[in-house]
Amino acid sequence: MTHFLDIHKTNPSDLRQIIDTARDIKDARHGRPKSALDDDQPLAGHMVALIFEKPSTRTRVSFDVGVRQMGGQTMVLSGADMQLGHGETIADTARVLSRYVDLIMIRTFDESVLTEMAEYADVPVINGLTDRTHPCQIMADVMTYEEHRGPIAGKKVVWTGDGNNVCASFLHAAAQFKFDLTFAGPSQLDPEGEFVKLARDAGCKISIERDADKAVQGADLVVADTWVSMHDAQSARERRHNMLRPYQVNAALMAQAEPDALFMHCLPAHREEEVTSEVMDGPQSVIFDEAENRLHAQKAIMKFCLGK
């Protein structure tokens, strides 16, 4: 049973295999019609359950398209469809779904839903996102950096803003891919100490910096994310904006980084809030390559989980 639950729970050699496979998948499709399916059809005859307790654009479309391109079929389920963990235990849901499908991807709130699903499922489970981590996104990000600038090992990544679930998976990736990471944000939104320690224990230089200009000096990659969640109340949104305004990624901030530094954002972005349009649409931005690579990275993850 091969799950993909978090980057730090997957061997570095397997992570490298996933990235290499993703690049091969992308290269093989270069210049071909977008409707064309992969030649080997590794998911032919396979059914994949895509479970969404949280709304989604990129995760839903990229997984659905990826399964179909590899010859499989999808069953898209919402939390409302299943009443996950309410009318039936997660363990029983996992046992039942395992009788119907060959692979489960779940995008949920509480990490415990993911871990319980994986514990009781008889088929592989993929973490499409939890409130704590977002590993599929960061696999796409590593792939994107490396296709533009070569190996990410030894590079300096700067995360600006909120030490959220995407930041957590960047810390996991630092430990596994051996790059350094600087967090630039207010103390109230620091990343989890457990994840900072994990990366430091792996020999990575992990820094916490309150001055955004100082943080991005020498950066090879600058990353931002939204300042507010779709679930935040208006009062919380205003507080967050006040705290995070000094960490906006704009042209002046990017000028402090290395001349060939890249900018990433997992999207959706709130233009002129966490990042300006000048940066998003500028020459250092690779946000749309990053979004496309969710498709290729997740196809490689699915192949890895199914032993294909």
Side-chain angles (χ1 to χ4, degrees), residues 21-148:
T21 299
R23 293 196 66 175
D24 288 343
I25 289 170
K26 185 175 183 177
D27 290 345
R29 295 182 62 80
H30 181 69
R32 295 173 59 189
K34 293 184 181 297
S35 60
L37 298 175
D38 290 56
D39 290 334
D40 57 354
Q41 297 286 279
L43 265 63
H46 288 71
M47 177 66 72
V48 180
L50 306 177
I51 303 172
F52 295 93
E53 283 200 293
K54 280 190 167 187
S56 170
T57 299
R58 275 149 294 277
T59 299
R60 176 167 179 165
V61 174
S62 58
F63 265 107
D64 200 350
V65 170
V67 172
R68 293 166 187 262
Q69 286 181 348
M70 294 194 291
Q73 298 184 63
T74 60
M75 177 183 296
V76 181
L77 301 166
S78 71
D81 293 331
M82 304 179 68
Q83 296 187 348
L84 194 64
H86 300 290
E88 181 177 54
T89 68
I90 295 161
D92 286 350
T93 299
R95 292 183 180 107
V96 170
L97 282 178
S98 297
R99 302 296 180 100
Y100 301 146
V101 304
D102 304 290
L103 180 67
I104 298 169
M105 188 289 302
I106 182 166
R107 180 181 174 95
T108 187
F109 293 90
D110 195 324
E111 183 182 53
S112 65
V113 175
L114 169 74
T115 55
E116 188 172 352
M117 181 73 72
E119 180 180 356
Y120 290 96
D122 293 324
V123 298
V125 174
I126 295 173
N127 177 2
L129 174 142
T130 71
D131 284 346
R132 203 172 185 214
T133 60
H134 196 1
C136 291
Q137 177 65 56
I138 279 32
M139 292 298 287
D141 292 356
V142 171
M143 176 186 174
T144 304
Y145 183 86
E146 293 194 338
E147 71 181 1
H148 283 274

Side-chain angles (χ1 to χ4, degrees), residues 2-7 10 15 18 114 124-128 135-136 139 301 304-305:
T2 304
H3 301 302
F4 187 78
L5 303 181
D6 273 314
I7 289 174
T10 305
L15 294 171
I18 290 169
L114 169 74
V125 174
I126 295 173
N127 177 2
C136 291
M139 292 298 287
I301 290 167
F304 167 72
C305 288

Side-chain angles (χ1 to χ4, degrees), residues 162 164 224-229 240 244 265-270 274:
D162 181 2
N164 61 13
D225 197 2
T226 54
W227 287 349
V228 295
S229 166
R240 279 179 165 266
L244 290 165
H265 191 303
C266 67
L267 303 178
H270 297 82
E274 69 269 11

